[in-house]
Amino acid sequence: MSHENPAADLHLHTTASDGQLTIEQLPAAAHAGGVEVVAVTDHDRYHPELDAPVVERDGLTIIHGIELRVDAGDRQVDLLGYGVEQTPALTREITRLQEDRVERAREIVERVEDETEVIIDIDIQDGVGRPHIARAIDVSDAPYDYQGAFDELIGGGSPCYVPRELPSFDDGVAALKSACDVVSLAHPFRYRDPAGAIELCADLDAIERYYPYGFPVETDLLDSAIEKYDLLATGGSDCHDTRLGRAGPPRDEFSRISDRISAF
């Protein structure tokens, strides 16, 4: 769900992972989206240009965050960490995940090239993910556009798909809590069993309540979890393009979140 007047957009991706915005472009994008604070939550990595848990850039407050996918046994979920400090525990996990991302991307590309008999031109480096591969397939001579690449080649169950080696839920939470002031469950209604995913919040600080799903969600489940587990209500656009401010916590909710981030 979204909110009409978010004070902050606490879920976005930059060119450090699979987004389109650079740090330099964030202030203008945030201004256009009507938000005063953003959180950069790139996948499985620190942002190399953010050297503190909270920084200012051209009048914009940027919270250094991270998004980590974890294996909770019967499900995979995404966790968001806010106010990141570089700790040994999280750095070890990030290093392992980035090595896995690079090895996985190379294997996927090899499979795509074998499947299509087309050379895929892609620079494989830290932060690489399937969206990068899909974009490279789209501009290659292979007969697939971006979405077709996911649907026919590299999506789950497709011939060129390679699974990731994820940290366990407990290990991921421990690594994030060693480094972050707030750890939140991301987009609970994007999972097959939202109620089951929400139960994991017993071990977390927050849940992503404000999110642009594009379909109705059971907000009562979220509000019940917030009350039951004494959670903060985070939120953001999950921006991978350049449009910020589509969702996020209102000012009173964000005030509670910022109070928990020690760098504020």
Side-chain angles (χ1 to χ4, degrees), residues 111-119:
R111 292 187 182 191
V112 169
E113 291 179 340
D114 288 344
E115 181 78 14
T116 64
E117 298 183 345
V118 170
I119 299 299

Side-chain angles (χ1 to χ4, degrees), residues 35-254:
V35 290
E36 305 165 1
V37 181
V38 300
V40 170
T41 54
D42 283 307
H43 297 285
D44 304 330
R45 72 179 308 199
Y46 306 123
H47 195 290
E49 295 176 51
L50 300 178
D51 56 3
V54 179
V55 303
E56 299 286 331
R57 291 286 191 277
D58 296 332
L60 176 68
T61 299
I62 303 174
I63 299 168
H64 192 181
I66 188 170
E67 183 169 6
L68 204 66
R69 180 162 294 177
V70 297
D71 185 348
D74 56 348
R75 75 193 79 239
Q76 296 178 2
V77 298
D78 294 316
L79 303 177
L80 296 163
Y82 297 107
V84 173
E85 295 269 14
Q86 296 191 19
T87 62
L90 186 56
T91 299
R92 281 194 301 271
E93 193 56 61
I94 286 174
T95 300
R96 187 192 69 77
L97 285 167
Q98 290 303 330
E99 290 171 351
D100 179 64
R101 276 183 171 272
V102 168
E103 292 170 7
R104 178 199 193 208
R106 287 180 179 144
E107 186 172 348
I108 290 174
V109 170
E110 287 176 4
R111 292 187 182 191
V112 169
E113 291 179 340
D114 288 344
E115 181 78 14
T116 64
E117 298 183 345
V118 170
I119 299 299
I120 306 301
D121 184 12
I122 181 172
D123 181 18
I124 296 176
Q125 55 186 320
D126 280 4
V128 67
R130 285 182 297 161
H132 299 95
I133 299 171
R135 291 179 197 130
I137 293 170
D138 188 15
V139 299
S140 75
D141 291 331
Y144 302 95
D145 62 10
Y146 179 90
Q147 190 57 50
F150 270 99
D151 294 342
E152 304 294 332
L153 292 175
I154 65 174
S158 299
C160 304
Y161 175 76
V162 176
R164 292 177 56 194
E165 295 184 11
L166 300 176
S168 70
F169 175 80
D170 289 344
D171 288 348
V173 170
L176 287 174
K177 288 198 169 186
S178 78
C180 305
D181 292 315
V182 173
V183 180
S184 179
L185 177 70
H187 42 60
F189 288 98
R190 281 183 53 185
Y191 309 121
R192 188 171 299 143
D193 174 20
I198 288 170
E199 289 179 3
L200 296 170
C201 289
D203 298 313
L204 305 179
D205 307 306
I207 191 168
E208 192 165 46
R209 189 188 190 282
Y210 305 97
Y211 189 87
Y213 290 104
F215 54 84
V217 300
E218 297 176 64
T219 54
D220 288 350
L221 273 179
L222 300 175
D223 293 335
S224 295
I226 288 168
E227 182 175 358
K228 179 178 181 180
Y229 301 122
D230 190 24
L231 301 173
L232 298 170
T234 64
S237 63
D238 199 359
C239 172
H240 288 75
D241 50 27
T242 60
R243 292 177 53 223
L244 298 180
R246 284 169 285 182
R251 195 167 300 279
D252 58 340
E253 294 281 6
F254 176 67

